[in-house]
Amino acid sequence: MEKSWATPGAEPGGADAVGAAGAGADFHLDLSGPGGVRASLIRALREAVRSGRLAPGSRLPSSRTLAADLGLARNTVADAYGELVAEGWLTARQGSGTRVARRAAARAPERRTPPVGTPRRAAYDLRPGTADVSAFPRAAWLAAARRAMAAAPHEALGHVDERGRPELRTALAGYLARARGVHADPERIVVCSGFTQGLGLVSRVLRERGTREMGVEEYGLWFHREALERAGLRCLPMPLDHRGADVGVLEGGKAAARSVLVTPAHQFPTGVPLHPDRRAAVVDWAARTGGTVLEDDYDGEFRYDRQPVGCLQGLAPERIVYFGTASKALAPGLRLAWMVLPEHLAGEVLAHKRAGEWSSGVLEQLTLAEFLTSGAYDRHVRAMRLRYRRRRDRLVEVLAERAPHIKVTGIAAGLHAVLELPPGTEHPTLQAAAWEGLALEGLSRLRCTPPPTTAPTPDGLVVGYGTPPDHAFPGALEALLRVLPPAE
């Protein structure tokens, strides 16, 4: 069944000609195909948006008008609109009607060479490292803030202890011991304004103690390596395989590193956990050499196929500095992170922090302390764990159905996944994504330079499925599918 519809009352070139979809002209919709009239209408409207016939921002007729034009029941049209709003193709606001979402129009699947000009501004963001901030628990956070302020002593609003508010350090000690297996004395916890600040503080202390090199995983965030270099340390890359970082490069005089930075629960970005044998090896290396291990537990709470693996720090609290953050579980804008220090480092780290390093706000610290002790933090983490697991499952499912030649690697954990690409396709894929209005991160940019081995850097994408809000995630997946290289 093929039908056309037009927006009543719209004259060519008139005021409504731009604002209303199909204004002043018939608009063809093919309602044939399986699944009944409702499914056919959804499919036809989705294809009209995908192909660009319905431009972003175009206003659609009311459900009553479109139903009359197509000879359908109004509820059928209303249900179709509702489904497309939920998927992110359309938006509906009181007083503004139903419009095409501000999303990038699809390119033809066979078009692989981007046009000359300026890439589109990103309509979708699948870069890793950020939580879905639209899911921030505003009501629960405000309630915790009110309770915290009502109970706070007057002195809490004065100058802050360099370690952070005692209420937060006490709450963190209990939570970390229970949920992550950390040996945490509140006196050894230091609250900081982000992982990078804590990393810089510890690195400067290690440099003053004579450390010249820091072992780092072959893949990781470049600004973490920059923080180490600013502290005067040289990064010594450690190879990665399916068992995680190979700490063997620290043995037998092959390197002078006295410290090492690792992400043992869920390596970033490859997604592999540190194998038990290598966990034991790095702890043994630290004990034998007097070395220091820096453990970045950036998303250790988010494991989907089993219970989260306990942290490394629990095996050797006096040789390991533990780092945690609220940026993945809550939001990076809170600027709240923490480190659990061995006793022999605590005094010097605090001295550096006292000498001009900024502190997190008192109100945020008191609120997070209340959020933790009330159980609201646990409830939120459980809810987000389910949300992210569903997104990862959907990503894997869609790729298996529509791009089975693209493999998803890494364990079911965290807020990102790595997609293996055919050799030589990473850069063209990132170019195509820019023209599609999709922000993506390539695997090669996260590899140390120079790498620890002569093996070529594999092509891949690091897809942050935690970043988009729920309403934008289906559209982001569609955009991703459009830019992936075809099967050979």
Side-chain angles (χ1 to χ4, degrees):
M1 178 171 62
E2 297 183 353
K3 299 211 174 186
S4 298
W5 55 270
T7 303
E11 298 296 332
D16 288 337
V18 175
D26 286 344
F27 194 90
H28 178 78
L29 290 175
D30 182 1
L31 301 187
S32 61
V37 175
R38 176 182 176 277
S40 297
L41 178 58
I42 291 173
R43 187 165 52 246
L45 288 172
R46 189 187 290 127
E47 180 56 33
V49 175
R50 180 186 287 119
S51 66
R53 291 192 296 146
L54 286 177
S58 299
R59 178 166 52 84
L60 274 63
S62 68
S63 58
R64 184 190 301 276
T65 300
L66 182 57
D69 287 345
L70 297 180
L72 303 177
R74 182 184 179 187
N75 285 346
T76 300
V77 177
D79 288 348
Y81 278 2
E83 178 71 19
L84 293 171
V85 167
E87 292 180 0
W89 296 95
L90 306 178
T91 62
R93 294 183 177 86
Q94 186 70 29
S96 181
T98 303
R99 293 180 180 270
V100 177
R102 295 287 181 182
R103 60 187 304 277
R107 298 182 305 114
E110 67 277 4
R111 180 177 164 188
R112 290 290 166 184
T113 303
V116 176
T118 304
R120 294 190 186 101
R121 182 179 179 182
Y124 297 111
D125 192 351
L126 286 177
R127 289 172 296 185
T130 304
D132 179 1
V133 293
S134 71
F136 183 81
R138 299 183 185 219
W141 185 261
L142 285 172
R146 285 194 294 269
R147 294 193 301 269
M149 287 305 298
H154 296 309
E155 55 88 14
L157 300 178
H159 293 290
V160 183
D161 187 325
E162 292 83 4
R163 293 170 298 178
R165 284 297 305 172
E167 297 92 336
L168 178 54
R169 289 186 284 112
T170 300
L172 283 170
Y175 173 79
L176 294 174
R178 169 173 55 83
R180 301 298 300 129
V182 175
H183 288 268
D185 183 332
E187 299 301 309
R188 305 263 195 95
I189 295 177
V190 176
V191 178
C192 41
S193 62
F195 170 77
T196 303
Q197 184 194 32
L199 178 62
L201 288 168
V202 174
S203 299
R204 290 200 293 274
V205 170
L206 293 174
R207 180 65 178 81
E208 290 175 354
R209 289 186 166 203
T211 297
R212 297 293 181 268
E213 292 183 315
M214 174 77 73
V216 297
E217 294 163 328
E218 176 180 3
Y219 287 88
L221 290 168
W222 64 92
F223 53 85
H224 290 171
R225 296 193 291 270
E226 289 174 352
L228 296 173
E229 291 166 356
R230 284 196 300 271
L233 300 176
R234 186 170 75 89
C235 294
L236 178 69
M238 300 181 295
L240 284 166
D241 57 26
H242 66 283
R243 291 156 57 93
D246 181 5
V247 297
V249 298
L250 305 176
E251 299 285 358
K254 298 178 184 177
R258 294 286 304 278
S259 303
V260 60
L261 171 63
V262 291
T263 52
H266 185 224
Q267 201 283 324
F268 183 87
T270 64
V272 297
L274 193 62
H275 189 275
D277 290 346
R278 291 190 177 170
R279 287 167 66 95
V282 72
V283 170
D284 180 62
W285 166 83
R288 285 187 292 100
T289 65
T292 303
V293 179
L294 280 56
E295 178 180 13
D296 180 6
D297 194 35
Y298 71 101
D299 66 356
E301 296 149 315
F302 296 102
R303 182 77 185 256
Y304 312 129
D305 58 346
R306 53 172 289 178
Q307 285 293 107
V309 175
C311 69
L312 196 63
Q313 189 263 6
L315 299 176
E318 290 306 316
R319 303 268 31 116
I320 299 175
V321 180
Y322 174 89
F323 293 90
T325 176
S327 65
K328 303 298 184 290
L330 288 167
L334 293 177
R335 306 309 307 159
L336 285 170
W338 44 87
M339 46 187 171
V340 183
L341 298 167
E343 184 176 7
H344 67 94
L345 288 176
E348 292 168 78
V349 170
L350 284 172
H352 273 278
K353 194 168 189 289
R354 192 178 300 119
E357 292 281 350
W358 59 94
S359 299
S360 302
V362 171
L363 301 184
E364 289 81 4
Q365 292 188 50
L366 292 173
T367 302
L368 180 57
E370 172 62 25
F371 210 66
L372 284 161
T373 55
S374 69
Y377 187 87
D378 288 82
R379 290 190 293 273
H380 177 69
V381 167
R382 285 196 296 270
M384 296 309 294
R385 191 181 290 137
L386 179 60
R387 176 181 298 219
Y388 294 141
R389 176 177 183 169
R390 286 172 174 168
R391 290 191 188 181
R392 188 184 190 280
D393 288 348
R394 182 58 182 159
L395 171 65
V396 173
E397 176 187 356
V398 167
L399 289 172
E401 292 174 354
R402 300 171 59 181
H405 59 291
I406 303 296
K407 181 182 177 183
V408 180
T409 65
I411 59 173
L415 280 65
H416 75 276
V418 174
L419 275 55
E420 290 186 357
L421 299 180
T425 62
E426 180 181 314
H427 184 63
T429 300
L430 292 175
Q431 284 187 313
W435 288 104
E436 192 68 41
L438 174 65
L440 278 177
E441 183 66 87
L443 182 62
S444 61
R445 197 161 85 100
L446 300 174
R447 195 181 190 193
C448 290
T449 303
T453 66
T454 58
T457 301
D459 288 56
L461 299 175
V462 186
V463 176
Y465 52 79
T467 304
D470 277 347
H471 74 272
F473 189 61
L477 283 185
E478 289 294 327
L480 175 63
L481 290 167
R482 289 194 293 272
V483 304
L484 291 176
E488 295 180 355

